[in-house]
Amino acid sequence: MHNIRTMHLYMIPLISPFAEAESEECSSVIFTLIPSPKYPPGELVPAIGFCYSYFRKIVLHLNDRKAGTMQGQLKELEQYWSSRAKGYSMVNQEELAGEQREKWLSYLKKHFPDKSPEEISVLDVGTGPGFFAIILAEAGYRVTAVDYTAEMLKEAQKNAGILSDSITWMAMDAQHLTFEDHLFDVIVTRNLTWNLDEPDQAYREWHRVLKPGGTLLNFDANWYAYLFDEEKRRLYEVDRANVARLNLEDQYTCTDIDTMETLARNMPLSNTHRPGWDRKILTKLGFSSILIEEDMGDQVYSFMERINNAATPLFCVQAYK
């Protein structure tokens, strides 16, 4: 510790970027002492002073810019997925009519709490056209399904048919849920997290609304990592060639791939190593146990899906509160 007898306060002029602030008096000043070993005990130690009111304006300005950027991205994503709602719904309808229905239900049930379905409340986050919500409601679970896109929810309710009334459908941002704390036994989500501009906030919210002892199952992949990695790009192109050689539907190029790639470049997880990132965040949030299957697509995919996504393994993050 330095034995400081006297302190010189060096004021650093701050030029405000805000026109209205230039005429304001700096009535509140914070002084932050910066101790340094270069000052021996008893010597004068300088400090930095700055105007709190100006500093606060800068912080608020930067926060507003960040919020505006996020809102813009959210709007772009909403527009994109609204335009994709019918096409994506057809994909879910094929899953509901195919082998994936039983494969997915079997996988989910193995990781659910050991209770009867009617005792388990499930939140399907980013339900899209409703695949998870529908197969779980049919199996007797109490299901709430949320999606940010109204068009997706319309398609989901149509796909659910007579099951629609047994599912609670809600328009909601996965990153800012409006539910009370500790409400659900299980949260399921698929192909969503990569598509979020605040994925850490989403995980924080999902942890909040889970009951103590609750289960989170997040299925995702590094979908657009090939935009940032040449080797992943090469393997992605191999997948496209194999799809064409086998005369299968290409699940990438049949979409508006240019728009999706543009959006993906701005998503924070597109160039992030996962699921390592997920484990780190969930550990910080206080989940008691985290298990990861790094390549579980063979357990739930159809043949066409396996060929389409060979270079982009589907992983499952299992987290227990």
Side-chain angles (χ1 to χ4, degrees):
M1 293 291 291
H2 293 287
N3 181 22
I4 302 171
R5 297 177 301 164
T6 313
M7 207 167 47
H8 282 182
L9 303 177
Y10 297 99
M11 294 300 296
I12 297 178
L14 178 62
I15 301 174
S16 171
F18 307 97
E20 69 273 15
E22 293 178 359
S23 61
E24 293 180 357
E25 291 187 1
C26 188
S27 57
S28 176
V29 176
I30 294 176
F31 296 106
T32 304
L33 182 66
I34 303 181
S36 172
K38 75 176 183 178
Y39 294 98
E43 291 296 316
L44 302 179
V45 181
I48 296 175
F50 59 90
C51 177
Y52 175 74
S53 63
Y54 286 3
F55 176 73
R56 183 172 182 274
K57 284 179 181 291
I58 290 174
V59 171
L60 292 175
H61 175 67
L62 293 175
N63 285 342
D64 286 346
R65 286 178 59 184
K66 180 181 178 183
T69 300
M70 288 182 175
Q71 284 299 318
Q73 290 176 348
L74 199 58
K75 188 65 178 175
E76 289 178 352
L77 287 166
E78 181 186 13
Q79 290 171 348
Y80 174 78
W81 288 113
S82 293
S83 69
R84 282 282 316 279
K86 290 189 181 298
Y88 195 24
S89 184
M90 291 176 64
V91 173
N92 272 200
Q93 290 165 19
E94 291 173 1
E95 289 180 304
L96 290 167
E99 60 188 295
Q100 299 99 311
R101 185 186 196 121
E102 288 304 319
K103 285 183 174 182
W104 273 109
L105 182 59
S106 175
Y107 187 95
L108 293 171
K109 290 170 72 172
K110 282 192 303 185
H111 295 87
F112 276 20
D114 187 19
K115 296 189 289 187
S116 61
E118 60 271 13
E119 296 180 274
I120 299 175
S121 58
V122 181
L123 174 63
D124 178 13
V125 183
T127 189
F131 178 74
F132 275 174
I134 293 166
I135 64 173
L136 291 171
E138 186 178 48
Y141 295 94
R142 295 185 285 114
V143 179
T144 299
V146 303
D147 201 279
Y148 190 75
T149 308
E151 289 301 316
M152 286 291 186
L153 289 173
K154 289 179 185 177
E155 293 296 325
Q157 291 174 66
K158 282 192 273 185
N159 291 336
I162 60 174
L163 288 170
S164 184
D165 290 341
S166 65
I167 301 168
T168 301
W169 307 97
M170 302 181 73
M172 199 175 297
D173 181 356
Q175 303 160 118
H176 302 280
L177 301 175
T178 59
F179 300 114
E180 62 186 55
D181 296 353
H182 317 309
L183 191 60
F184 298 100
D185 297 293
V186 177
I187 294 177
V188 295
T189 183
R190 180 173 68 148
N191 300 340
L192 172 70
T193 320
W194 74 270
N195 198 31
L196 299 175
D197 53 16
E198 296 180 281
D200 51 344
Q201 171 63 22
Y203 268 139
R204 192 173 295 112
E205 282 289 272
W206 303 347
H207 181 270
R208 179 182 66 80
V209 302
L210 267 179
K211 293 178 182 178
T215 302
L216 167 66
L217 297 175
N218 182 7
F219 304 92
D220 210 350
N222 292 291
W223 291 115
Y224 290 90
Y226 66 81
L227 295 172
F228 307 92
D229 185 296
E230 286 303 315
E231 177 60 14
K232 288 184 172 64
R233 164 66 73 175
R234 186 187 69 79
L235 295 173
Y236 165 81
E237 296 297 347
V238 170
D239 285 352
R240 308 283 63 76
N242 286 334
V243 167
R245 179 175 56 82
L246 294 169
N247 198 29
L248 299 172
E249 178 186 358
D250 194 313
Q251 295 180 316
Y252 280 83
T253 59
C254 70
T255 66
D256 184 354
I257 189 68
D258 291 337
T259 298
M260 197 64 254
E261 287 184 349
T262 298
L263 291 171
R265 285 189 176 92
N266 294 320
M267 293 296 106
L269 293 185
S270 296
N271 192 24
T272 299
H273 177 69
R274 301 182 67 203
W277 176 89
D278 302 74
R279 182 189 293 277
K280 181 179 177 181
I281 292 296
L282 293 171
T283 300
K284 286 183 178 179
L285 288 174
F287 279 91
S288 63
S289 176
I290 302 161
L291 304 174
I292 292 176
E293 286 190 72
E294 299 222 14
D295 187 354
M296 47 81 60
D298 285 351
Q299 300 178 61
V300 293
Y301 273 167
S302 66
F303 174 73
M304 180 181 70
E305 290 170 320
R306 290 197 297 273
I307 301 301
N308 264 275
N309 302 309
T312 312
L314 183 70
F315 59 77
C316 176
V317 178
Q318 309 163 31
Y320 302 90
K321 184 173 176 181

